Amino acid sequence: RAKEDGRGVARFFQADMDAKVQARRELEMDLRAALVRGEFELHYQPVVAVESGEVSAFEALLRWRHPTRGMVPPDRFIPVAEQVGLIVPIGEWVLRTACREAANWPATIRVAVNLSAVQFKGGKLAAIVASALAEAGLAPRRLELEITESVLLRDSDSNLNHLNQLRALGTRISMDDFGTGYSSLSYLRSFPFDKIKIDRSFVKDVAGSQGDGAIVRAVAGLGTSLGMITTAEGVETREQLARVVADGCTEIQGYLFGRPVPAGEVQDTLERIRLMDKGQN
Ligand code: C2E
Ligand code: MG
Ligand code: MG
Ligand code: MG
């Protein structure tokens, strides 16, 4: 009996595994088709400069409008796209689309694009970025490229080389999700980032937890003394805003100023934030 039960359990796990493999295969096929069918779109979230109270940039965030599953968030498909290499053509589409759409915005406003470590393989990234900028007629200074520490974790020599090529084009380089990795501090030493984005997990309890407040303050101080912009991610409340500003962050991103919106709503978002600023002062 015990043996039979064991086999039953094994069979159960096997069926479960098959279902998972099948679901992943379907996701992969759907992802390939999505690029061809034009199901991806970029939404843009405002980033506000503390000193001026004005929008300094919008971060481009990838969305997948699936014909039957509805809007699929990036966390649900980017890991698979990375595993099967599809993030390379998808990432190229993101770069070209973000540059083209940002070229319609006021010239003071930059666009931030997230890069996956996988896009650094193959050595073509700098050429793709250069061609996206040229095609859109966007000044390189208006493009920010966000990377996480995974880029510097593996193949770090070759990736550092790529980062320097990207910097040589005139683009800005940001370290995203700062503080969540294994050795964030050592990455600050390996490359002169233009910006540090402090992960929203530290911002969440910035008003409640003394420890998180101290970390935000320390990172903002460090960034400032290294000549970097420091952005607080995930600011949702006025209380969090007051704290991260007092702690020395120089830029704010989060639902308080706005959620990511489709390209057609970027101008409205700019207007709304301009009015918010007037209301405050
Ligand atoms: P990220 O680059 O750290 O982007 C910020 C994420 O935080 C976005 O989630 C944004 O919607 C969310 N967020 C912003 N403000 C708030 C807030 O006040 N509260 C809360 N709870 N969340 C906030 P999203 O759009 O789901 O993207 C998740 C991640 O997916 C991104 O994190 C980025 O790592 C990745 N991603 C998005 N677009 C791309 C892309 O085009 N390429 C690559 N490689 N990765 C991307
Ligand atoms: Mg980002
Ligand atoms: Mg982030
Ligand atoms: Mg993130």
Side-chain angles (χ1 to χ4, degrees), residues 64-108:
W64 180 11
R65 199 180 285 276
H66 190 281
T68 55
R69 291 186 231 195
M71 206 58 114
V72 187
D75 294 336
R76 295 279 300 280
F77 66 88
I78 285 179
V80 175
E82 286 177 333
Q83 279 161 32
V84 301
L86 274 171
I87 195 67
V88 173
I90 294 173
E92 179 169 348
W93 178 88
V94 170
L95 276 164
R96 292 189 189 281
T97 306
C99 289
R100 184 166 24 87
E101 294 184 327
N104 298 320
W105 307 342
T108 52

Short mmCIF file of all heavy atoms in Angstrom, two decimals, residues 64-108:
data_model
loop_
_atom_site.label_atom_id
_atom_site.label_comp_id
_atom_site.label_asym_id
_atom_site.label_seq_id
_atom_site.Cartn_x
_atom_site.Cartn_y
_atom_site.Cartn_z
N TRP A 64 2.11 44.03 -21.55
CA TRP A 64 1.70 43.09 -22.60
C TRP A 64 0.18 42.99 -22.59
O TRP A 64 -0.40 42.48 -21.64
CB TRP A 64 2.34 41.73 -22.33
CG TRP A 64 2.00 40.66 -23.32
CD1 TRP A 64 1.37 40.80 -24.53
CD2 TRP A 64 2.28 39.27 -23.18
NE1 TRP A 64 1.25 39.59 -25.15
CE2 TRP A 64 1.80 38.63 -24.35
CE3 TRP A 64 2.91 38.49 -22.19
CZ2 TRP A 64 1.92 37.26 -24.54
CZ3 TRP A 64 3.02 37.13 -22.38
CH2 TRP A 64 2.54 36.52 -23.55
N ARG A 65 -0.40 43.51 -23.66
CA ARG A 65 -1.85 43.44 -23.81
C ARG A 65 -2.19 42.13 -24.49
O ARG A 65 -2.24 42.06 -25.72
CB ARG A 65 -2.34 44.65 -24.62
CG ARG A 65 -3.81 44.95 -24.47
CD ARG A 65 -4.20 46.16 -25.30
NE ARG A 65 -3.76 47.42 -24.72
CZ ARG A 65 -4.44 48.07 -23.78
NH1 ARG A 65 -5.56 47.58 -23.31
NH2 ARG A 65 -3.98 49.21 -23.31
N HIS A 66 -2.40 41.09 -23.70
CA HIS A 66 -2.65 39.75 -24.23
C HIS A 66 -4.11 39.63 -24.69
O HIS A 66 -5.01 40.10 -23.99
CB HIS A 66 -2.35 38.72 -23.12
CG HIS A 66 -2.32 37.30 -23.59
ND1 HIS A 66 -3.47 36.59 -23.80
CD2 HIS A 66 -1.28 36.48 -23.89
CE1 HIS A 66 -3.14 35.37 -24.21
NE2 HIS A 66 -1.82 35.28 -24.27
N PRO A 67 -4.33 39.01 -25.87
CA PRO A 67 -5.69 38.97 -26.42
C PRO A 67 -6.72 38.32 -25.49
O PRO A 67 -7.88 38.72 -25.48
CB PRO A 67 -5.54 38.18 -27.72
CG PRO A 67 -4.19 37.55 -27.67
CD PRO A 67 -3.35 38.40 -26.78
N THR A 68 -6.32 37.31 -24.71
CA THR A 68 -7.30 36.68 -23.82
C THR A 68 -6.99 36.88 -22.33
O THR A 68 -7.88 36.92 -21.51
CB THR A 68 -7.41 35.16 -24.09
OG1 THR A 68 -6.10 34.60 -23.97
CG2 THR A 68 -7.94 34.90 -25.48
N ARG A 69 -5.70 37.02 -22.00
CA ARG A 69 -5.36 37.13 -20.58
C ARG A 69 -5.41 38.56 -20.05
O ARG A 69 -5.18 38.80 -18.86
CB ARG A 69 -3.94 36.61 -20.33
CG ARG A 69 -3.83 35.11 -20.50
CD ARG A 69 -2.45 34.66 -20.10
NE ARG A 69 -1.84 33.86 -21.13
CZ ARG A 69 -0.77 33.10 -20.95
NH1 ARG A 69 -0.18 33.07 -19.78
NH2 ARG A 69 -0.28 32.39 -21.92
N GLY A 70 -5.64 39.53 -20.94
CA GLY A 70 -5.67 40.92 -20.50
C GLY A 70 -4.27 41.47 -20.33
O GLY A 70 -3.32 40.96 -20.91
N MET A 71 -4.14 42.51 -19.50
CA MET A 71 -2.84 43.16 -19.33
C MET A 71 -1.96 42.29 -18.43
O MET A 71 -2.29 42.05 -17.28
CB MET A 71 -3.08 44.53 -18.68
CG MET A 71 -2.02 45.54 -18.98
SD MET A 71 -1.78 45.87 -20.74
CE MET A 71 -2.33 47.55 -20.82
N VAL A 72 -0.84 41.83 -18.98
CA VAL A 72 0.07 40.97 -18.21
C VAL A 72 1.21 41.85 -17.67
O VAL A 72 1.90 42.51 -18.45
CB VAL A 72 0.65 39.84 -19.08
CG1 VAL A 72 1.46 38.87 -18.24
CG2 VAL A 72 -0.46 39.11 -19.83
N PRO A 73 1.44 41.86 -16.36
CA PRO A 73 2.53 42.68 -15.80
C PRO A 73 3.90 42.07 -16.10
O PRO A 73 4.01 40.86 -16.28
CB PRO A 73 2.24 42.68 -14.30
CG PRO A 73 1.44 41.46 -14.04
CD PRO A 73 0.70 41.14 -15.31
N PRO A 74 4.94 42.91 -16.16
CA PRO A 74 6.26 42.43 -16.58
C PRO A 74 6.84 41.31 -15.71
O PRO A 74 7.54 40.44 -16.23
CB PRO A 74 7.14 43.69 -16.52
CG PRO A 74 6.37 44.71 -15.79
CD PRO A 74 4.93 44.36 -15.93
N ASP A 75 6.55 41.34 -14.41
CA ASP A 75 7.10 40.30 -13.54
C ASP A 75 6.63 38.90 -13.96
O ASP A 75 7.27 37.91 -13.63
CB ASP A 75 6.70 40.54 -12.08
CG ASP A 75 7.33 41.81 -11.52
OD1 ASP A 75 8.38 42.22 -12.06
OD2 ASP A 75 6.76 42.39 -10.59
N ARG A 76 5.50 38.85 -14.70
CA ARG A 76 4.94 37.56 -15.09
C ARG A 76 5.58 37.00 -16.35
O ARG A 76 5.47 35.80 -16.61
CB ARG A 76 3.43 37.70 -15.32
CG ARG A 76 2.66 38.03 -14.07
CD ARG A 76 2.40 36.78 -13.24
NE ARG A 76 1.63 35.81 -14.00
CZ ARG A 76 0.32 35.88 -14.17
NH1 ARG A 76 -0.37 36.85 -13.63
NH2 ARG A 76 -0.31 34.96 -14.87
N PHE A 77 6.20 37.86 -17.18
CA PHE A 77 6.74 37.31 -18.43
C PHE A 77 8.21 37.65 -18.70
O PHE A 77 8.86 36.97 -19.47
CB PHE A 77 5.87 37.73 -19.63
CG PHE A 77 5.87 39.21 -19.93
CD1 PHE A 77 6.83 39.76 -20.75
CD2 PHE A 77 4.90 40.04 -19.37
CE1 PHE A 77 6.83 41.12 -21.04
CE2 PHE A 77 4.89 41.41 -19.65
CZ PHE A 77 5.86 41.94 -20.48
N ILE A 78 8.75 38.68 -18.05
CA ILE A 78 10.15 39.03 -18.33
C ILE A 78 11.13 37.92 -17.90
O ILE A 78 12.05 37.59 -18.65
CB ILE A 78 10.51 40.41 -17.75
CG1 ILE A 78 9.87 41.49 -18.63
CG2 ILE A 78 12.04 40.63 -17.70
CD1 ILE A 78 10.09 42.90 -18.21
N PRO A 79 10.93 37.28 -16.75
CA PRO A 79 11.86 36.19 -16.39
C PRO A 79 11.89 35.08 -17.46
O PRO A 79 12.98 34.60 -17.80
CB PRO A 79 11.29 35.66 -15.06
CG PRO A 79 10.58 36.85 -14.47
CD PRO A 79 10.00 37.59 -15.64
N VAL A 80 10.74 34.72 -18.02
CA VAL A 80 10.71 33.70 -19.08
C VAL A 80 11.37 34.24 -20.35
O VAL A 80 12.17 33.56 -21.00
CB VAL A 80 9.26 33.24 -19.38
CG1 VAL A 80 9.24 32.28 -20.57
CG2 VAL A 80 8.65 32.58 -18.16
N ALA A 81 11.06 35.48 -20.68
CA ALA A 81 11.67 36.11 -21.87
C ALA A 81 13.20 36.14 -21.74
O ALA A 81 13.92 35.98 -22.72
CB ALA A 81 11.14 37.53 -22.06
N GLU A 82 13.69 36.31 -20.51
CA GLU A 82 15.14 36.30 -20.29
C GLU A 82 15.69 34.89 -20.47
O GLU A 82 16.72 34.69 -21.10
CB GLU A 82 15.46 36.82 -18.88
CG GLU A 82 15.29 38.34 -18.78
CD GLU A 82 15.52 38.89 -17.37
OE1 GLU A 82 15.32 38.13 -16.40
OE2 GLU A 82 15.90 40.07 -17.27
N GLN A 83 14.99 33.90 -19.92
CA GLN A 83 15.47 32.51 -19.99
C GLN A 83 15.56 32.01 -21.43
O GLN A 83 16.47 31.27 -21.77
CB GLN A 83 14.57 31.58 -19.18
CG GLN A 83 14.87 31.62 -17.70
CD GLN A 83 13.71 31.09 -16.87
OE1 GLN A 83 12.97 30.20 -17.32
NE2 GLN A 83 13.53 31.61 -15.67
N VAL A 84 14.63 32.40 -22.28
CA VAL A 84 14.62 31.88 -23.65
C VAL A 84 15.24 32.86 -24.64
O VAL A 84 15.20 32.64 -25.85
CB VAL A 84 13.19 31.47 -24.10
CG1 VAL A 84 12.63 30.41 -23.17
CG2 VAL A 84 12.26 32.67 -24.17
N GLY A 85 15.80 33.96 -24.12
CA GLY A 85 16.52 34.89 -24.98
C GLY A 85 15.63 35.90 -25.71
O GLY A 85 16.13 36.77 -26.43
N LEU A 86 14.31 35.76 -25.55
CA LEU A 86 13.40 36.69 -26.25
C LEU A 86 13.51 38.13 -25.74
O LEU A 86 13.06 39.06 -26.40
CB LEU A 86 11.95 36.22 -26.10
CG LEU A 86 11.48 35.20 -27.12
CD1 LEU A 86 10.11 34.65 -26.73
CD2 LEU A 86 11.41 35.86 -28.51
N ILE A 87 14.13 38.31 -24.58
CA ILE A 87 14.27 39.67 -24.04
C ILE A 87 15.16 40.51 -24.95
O ILE A 87 15.09 41.74 -24.93
CB ILE A 87 14.83 39.64 -22.59
CG1 ILE A 87 14.64 41.01 -21.90
CG2 ILE A 87 16.29 39.25 -22.58
CD1 ILE A 87 13.23 41.41 -21.62
N VAL A 88 15.98 39.85 -25.78
CA VAL A 88 16.86 40.63 -26.68
C VAL A 88 16.03 41.38 -27.74
O VAL A 88 16.11 42.61 -27.81
CB VAL A 88 17.97 39.74 -27.29
CG1 VAL A 88 18.76 40.51 -28.33
CG2 VAL A 88 18.89 39.24 -26.18
N PRO A 89 15.20 40.68 -28.55
CA PRO A 89 14.37 41.45 -29.49
C PRO A 89 13.31 42.31 -28.79
O PRO A 89 13.02 43.42 -29.26
CB PRO A 89 13.71 40.37 -30.37
CG PRO A 89 13.85 39.10 -29.62
CD PRO A 89 15.10 39.22 -28.80
N ILE A 90 12.76 41.83 -27.68
CA ILE A 90 11.76 42.64 -26.96
C ILE A 90 12.42 43.92 -26.43
O ILE A 90 11.89 45.02 -26.56
CB ILE A 90 11.10 41.83 -25.81
CG1 ILE A 90 10.27 40.67 -26.37
CG2 ILE A 90 10.22 42.74 -24.95
CD1 ILE A 90 9.72 39.71 -25.30
N GLY A 91 13.62 43.75 -25.85
CA GLY A 91 14.34 44.90 -25.30
C GLY A 91 14.71 45.91 -26.38
O GLY A 91 14.70 47.12 -26.15
N GLU A 92 15.01 45.41 -27.58
CA GLU A 92 15.32 46.32 -28.69
C GLU A 92 14.06 47.11 -29.08
O GLU A 92 14.12 48.32 -29.31
CB GLU A 92 15.86 45.53 -29.89
CG GLU A 92 16.16 46.43 -31.07
CD GLU A 92 16.94 45.73 -32.19
OE1 GLU A 92 17.45 44.61 -31.97
OE2 GLU A 92 17.03 46.33 -33.28
N TRP A 93 12.93 46.42 -29.09
CA TRP A 93 11.65 47.10 -29.37
C TRP A 93 11.39 48.18 -28.31
O TRP A 93 10.98 49.30 -28.63
CB TRP A 93 10.50 46.08 -29.41
CG TRP A 93 9.18 46.73 -29.64
CD1 TRP A 93 8.60 47.01 -30.86
CD2 TRP A 93 8.29 47.23 -28.64
NE1 TRP A 93 7.41 47.67 -30.65
CE2 TRP A 93 7.19 47.81 -29.32
CE3 TRP A 93 8.31 47.26 -27.24
CZ2 TRP A 93 6.12 48.41 -28.64
CZ3 TRP A 93 7.25 47.86 -26.56
CH2 TRP A 93 6.17 48.42 -27.26
N VAL A 94 11.67 47.85 -27.05
CA VAL A 94 11.47 48.82 -25.95
C VAL A 94 12.33 50.06 -26.17
O VAL A 94 11.85 51.19 -26.09
CB VAL A 94 11.77 48.17 -24.58
CG1 VAL A 94 11.81 49.22 -23.48
CG2 VAL A 94 10.76 47.07 -24.24
N LEU A 95 13.61 49.83 -26.48
CA LEU A 95 14.53 50.96 -26.69
C LEU A 95 14.07 51.86 -27.83
O LEU A 95 14.02 53.08 -27.70
CB LEU A 95 15.94 50.44 -26.99
CG LEU A 95 16.79 50.08 -25.78
CD1 LEU A 95 17.98 49.22 -26.20
CD2 LEU A 95 17.28 51.34 -25.07
N ARG A 96 13.72 51.24 -28.96
CA ARG A 96 13.32 52.04 -30.13
C ARG A 96 12.02 52.79 -29.87
O ARG A 96 11.88 53.96 -30.22
CB ARG A 96 13.18 51.13 -31.37
CG ARG A 96 14.51 50.58 -31.82
CD ARG A 96 14.42 49.87 -33.17
NE ARG A 96 15.66 49.18 -33.46
CZ ARG A 96 16.76 49.76 -33.92
NH1 ARG A 96 16.75 51.06 -34.17
NH2 ARG A 96 17.85 49.06 -34.13
N THR A 97 11.07 52.11 -29.22
CA THR A 97 9.77 52.73 -28.96
C THR A 97 9.91 53.87 -27.95
O THR A 97 9.35 54.96 -28.14
CB THR A 97 8.76 51.67 -28.45
OG1 THR A 97 8.73 50.60 -29.40
CG2 THR A 97 7.37 52.26 -28.29
N ALA A 98 10.65 53.63 -26.88
CA ALA A 98 10.83 54.66 -25.84
C ALA A 98 11.50 55.90 -26.42
O ALA A 98 11.06 57.03 -26.16
CB ALA A 98 11.63 54.10 -24.67
N CYS A 99 12.54 55.71 -27.24
CA CYS A 99 13.23 56.86 -27.83
C CYS A 99 12.30 57.62 -28.77
O CYS A 99 12.25 58.85 -28.76
CB CYS A 99 14.49 56.42 -28.59
SG CYS A 99 15.80 55.86 -27.48
N ARG A 100 11.53 56.89 -29.57
CA ARG A 100 10.63 57.53 -30.54
C ARG A 100 9.54 58.32 -29.80
O ARG A 100 9.25 59.46 -30.13
CB ARG A 100 10.01 56.46 -31.44
CG ARG A 100 9.14 57.02 -32.54
CD ARG A 100 8.81 55.99 -33.63
NE ARG A 100 8.89 54.61 -33.19
CZ ARG A 100 7.89 53.93 -32.62
NH1 ARG A 100 6.75 54.46 -32.44
NH2 ARG A 100 8.07 52.68 -32.25
N GLU A 101 8.96 57.72 -28.76
CA GLU A 101 7.88 58.41 -28.04
C GLU A 101 8.41 59.61 -27.25
O GLU A 101 7.79 60.66 -27.20
CB GLU A 101 7.10 57.41 -27.18
CG GLU A 101 6.37 56.41 -28.09
CD GLU A 101 5.46 55.41 -27.39
OE1 GLU A 101 5.75 54.99 -26.24
OE2 GLU A 101 4.45 55.02 -28.01
N ALA A 102 9.60 59.45 -26.66
CA ALA A 102 10.17 60.54 -25.85
C ALA A 102 10.56 61.75 -26.71
O ALA A 102 10.60 62.87 -26.22
CB ALA A 102 11.38 60.04 -25.07
N ALA A 103 10.83 61.50 -27.99
CA ALA A 103 11.20 62.60 -28.87
C ALA A 103 10.07 63.62 -29.02
O ALA A 103 10.30 64.76 -29.41
CB ALA A 103 11.63 62.05 -30.24
N ASN A 104 8.83 63.22 -28.66
CA ASN A 104 7.68 64.15 -28.72
C ASN A 104 7.51 64.97 -27.46
O ASN A 104 6.63 65.82 -27.39
CB ASN A 104 6.37 63.36 -28.92
CG ASN A 104 6.36 62.58 -30.21
OD1 ASN A 104 6.82 63.08 -31.23
ND2 ASN A 104 5.86 61.36 -30.16
N TRP A 105 8.28 64.68 -26.42
CA TRP A 105 8.10 65.37 -25.14
C TRP A 105 8.93 66.65 -25.10
O TRP A 105 9.86 66.80 -25.89
CB TRP A 105 8.51 64.47 -23.97
CG TRP A 105 7.87 63.12 -23.93
CD1 TRP A 105 6.73 62.71 -24.59
CD2 TRP A 105 8.33 61.97 -23.19
NE1 TRP A 105 6.46 61.39 -24.31
CE2 TRP A 105 7.42 60.92 -23.46
CE3 TRP A 105 9.41 61.74 -22.35
CZ2 TRP A 105 7.57 59.66 -22.89
CZ3 TRP A 105 9.56 60.49 -21.78
CH2 TRP A 105 8.66 59.45 -22.05
N PRO A 106 8.65 67.53 -24.10
CA PRO A 106 9.52 68.70 -23.93
C PRO A 106 10.98 68.26 -23.76
O PRO A 106 11.25 67.21 -23.14
CB PRO A 106 9.00 69.34 -22.65
CG PRO A 106 7.58 68.87 -22.52
CD PRO A 106 7.55 67.50 -23.13
N ALA A 107 11.90 69.05 -24.29
CA ALA A 107 13.32 68.65 -24.36
C ALA A 107 13.99 68.53 -23.00
O ALA A 107 15.07 67.96 -22.88
CB ALA A 107 14.10 69.61 -25.24
N THR A 108 13.34 69.05 -21.95
CA THR A 108 13.93 68.96 -20.61
C THR A 108 13.67 67.59 -19.98
O THR A 108 14.22 67.29 -18.92
CB THR A 108 13.32 70.01 -19.67
OG1 THR A 108 11.89 69.89 -19.75
CG2 THR A 108 13.75 71.41 -20.05
#
